[in-house]
């Protein structure tokens, strides 16, 4: 069953298409990555650059305060279910950093995979 879920998620991410948006500016509050997850330190840059490259006039700025941001990003060590990322409306994004689906031992996702998750969730 878990293999089917993983395959579905991979398939869903592989067909992800950037939908054009009108020229806009967004401020993002990004919670600090846990020290053990420094392997994902470029995820926000990679993800926002992909959206900017696909949409002329789109800009992202980092906010130091979550209340002054358009949306907030939070990192999740493991969802423990069928999700690897989740967007709550257009204000809050959670992105998984790994899972325990292989031998009940936690394994980190690659930076590339986490970037795919982030790009997908930003599209919501």
């Amino acid at each position: 069953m878990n293999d089917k879920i993983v395959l579905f998620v991979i398939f869903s991410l592989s067909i992800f298409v950037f939908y054009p948006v009108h020229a806009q500016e967004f401020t993002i509050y990004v919670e600090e990555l846990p020290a053990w997850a420094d392997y994902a330190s470029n995820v926000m840059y990679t993800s926002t650059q992909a959206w900017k490259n696909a949409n002329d006039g789109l800009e992202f700025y980092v906010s130091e305060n979550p209340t002054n941001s358009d949306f907030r990003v939070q990192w999740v060590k493991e969802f423990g279910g069928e999700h690897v990322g989740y967007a709550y409306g257009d204000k809050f994004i959670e992105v998984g950093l790994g899972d325990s689906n292989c031998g009940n031992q936690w394994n980190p996702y690659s930076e590339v995979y986490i970037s795919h998750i982030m790009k997908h969730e930003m599209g919501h």
Side-chain angles (χ1 to χ4, degrees), residues 13 33 36-50 75 84 95-98 106-120:
L13 292 173
L33 272 168
W36 50 264
D38 63 345
Y39 60 89
S41 61
N42 289 323
V43 166
M44 283 309 303
Y45 175 78
T46 303
S47 302
T48 54
Q49 282 301 118
W75 309 103
V84 293
V95 175
L97 297 172
W106 187 83
N107 293 292
Y109 296 143
S110 71
E111 181 178 0
V112 171
Y113 186 61
I114 297 169
S115 292
H116 286 300
I117 296 168
M118 180 65 73
K119 287 184 269 188
H120 172 86

Side-chain angles (χ1 to χ4, degrees), residues 1-119:
M1 180 69 168
N2 283 339
D3 292 338
K4 289 180 182 177
I5 292 171
V6 170
L7 288 174
F8 174 74
V9 169
I10 291 171
F11 174 75
S12 296
L13 292 173
S14 69
I15 62 170
F16 177 71
V17 176
F18 292 102
Y19 293 97
V21 294
H22 301 287
Q24 288 186 344
E25 296 180 350
F26 292 99
T27 56
I28 307 170
Y29 175 80
V30 182
E31 289 193 4
E32 188 174 336
L33 272 168
W36 50 264
D38 63 345
Y39 60 89
S41 61
N42 289 323
V43 166
M44 283 309 303
Y45 175 78
T46 303
S47 302
T48 54
Q49 282 301 118
W51 275 97
K52 286 172 59 172
N53 291 342
N55 297 278
D56 290 335
L58 184 62
E59 290 294 330
F60 295 95
Y61 300 98
V62 176
S63 174
E64 298 295 322
N65 184 335
T67 58
N68 295 336
S69 64
D70 294 307
F71 64 94
R72 199 172 107 199
V73 174
Q74 182 176 5
W75 309 103
V76 177
K77 183 173 184 178
E78 178 174 12
F79 276 96
E82 59 190 58
H83 298 289
V84 293
Y86 202 84
Y88 298 95
D90 61 353
K91 297 288 184 188
F92 185 71
I93 295 173
E94 289 182 318
V95 175
L97 297 172
D99 66 46
S100 300
N101 291 336
C102 186
N104 291 326
Q105 180 178 348
W106 187 83
N107 293 292
Y109 296 143
S110 71
E111 181 178 0
V112 171
Y113 186 61
I114 297 169
S115 292
H116 286 300
I117 296 168
M118 180 65 73
K119 287 184 269 188

